[in-house]
Amino acid sequence: MNNESSPYVFDVGNALRSGITEVLLNEGPTPVRVGPEMIAVPEGKQVRVEARINPLGDAVMVDATLDAELEGQCVRCLADLRPHLHLDVQEVFGVDEDFIQGDDPEDDEVPPLIERDTVDLQQLFLDEAGLNLPFSPVCEGECEGDVPEPDTEEEVRDIRWAGLEKFL
Ligand SMILES: [Zn+2]
């Protein structure tokens, strides 16, 4: 699979061999949609991914952030929503499976690996977006779906007071 151009793929070879922390920046269109059905960064939209590559001998710890503009719709009033998305992820990638021993012996998740000097953060960001983004997004602040029916009772009372004032 050729994913060299994915903004989620980072070359960790330098950090791994030099032992020096590196901060790398990728910007480009996301090859996959990031987020649930009603609000997401659509496929092809620009994302900015910054990764700090911390070497740990036969592994690297990657701290990464993703910044992008979301596209979605308020489920109440159907207004377009374009909020900013910021995600933080952290993961350790080993050069081979032996490196990472999970704290939980029952955790049979396969540890992520460094393949051909690169790490792919795509799944991390997809999981994080799934945890952070609402399935039913609504407007921040005022939403037209929230506007209450005109309170006619209040108006009636006001008229009544106005009428009484004549007699005071
Ligand atoms: Zn709304």
Side-chain angles (χ1 to χ4, degrees), residues 74 77 139 143-144:
C74 172
C77 71
C139 300
C143 170
E144 280 186 38

Side-chain angles (χ1 to χ4, degrees), residues 18-128:
S18 70
I20 297 166
T21 297
E22 261 195 321
V23 178
L24 302 173
L25 175 68
N26 281 350
E27 281 180 295
T30 176
V32 290
R33 179 183 172 86
V34 182
E37 195 176 340
M38 290 302 286
I39 191 158
V41 182
E43 185 185 333
K45 188 148 179 168
Q46 191 84 355
V47 294
R48 182 184 196 276
V49 186
E50 192 174 295
R52 172 178 285 269
I53 317 293
N54 304 290
L56 302 170
D58 284 339
V60 291
M61 189 202 285
V62 180
D63 287 295
T65 59
L66 178 150
D67 286 277
E69 187 188 53
L70 287 161
E71 292 186 16
Q73 265 192 329
C74 172
V75 293
R76 281 192 234 147
C77 71
L78 302 182
D80 284 338
L81 303 176
R82 294 285 183 273
H84 184 82
L85 173 66
H86 178 86
L87 297 174
D88 287 296
V89 296
Q90 186 181 68
E91 185 65 272
V92 174
F93 293 81
V95 292
D96 58 50
E97 273 129 2
D98 297 337
F99 177 78
I100 301 161
Q101 285 141 6
D103 300 333
D104 181 357
E106 286 176 22
D107 184 3
D108 54 2
E109 227 178 286
V110 181
L113 292 178
I114 300 168
E115 289 177 61
R116 273 172 285 144
D117 276 358
T118 62
V119 296
D120 189 346
L121 309 181
Q122 177 173 298
Q123 194 56 48
L124 293 173
F125 283 121
L126 291 180
D127 293 346
E128 192 67 12

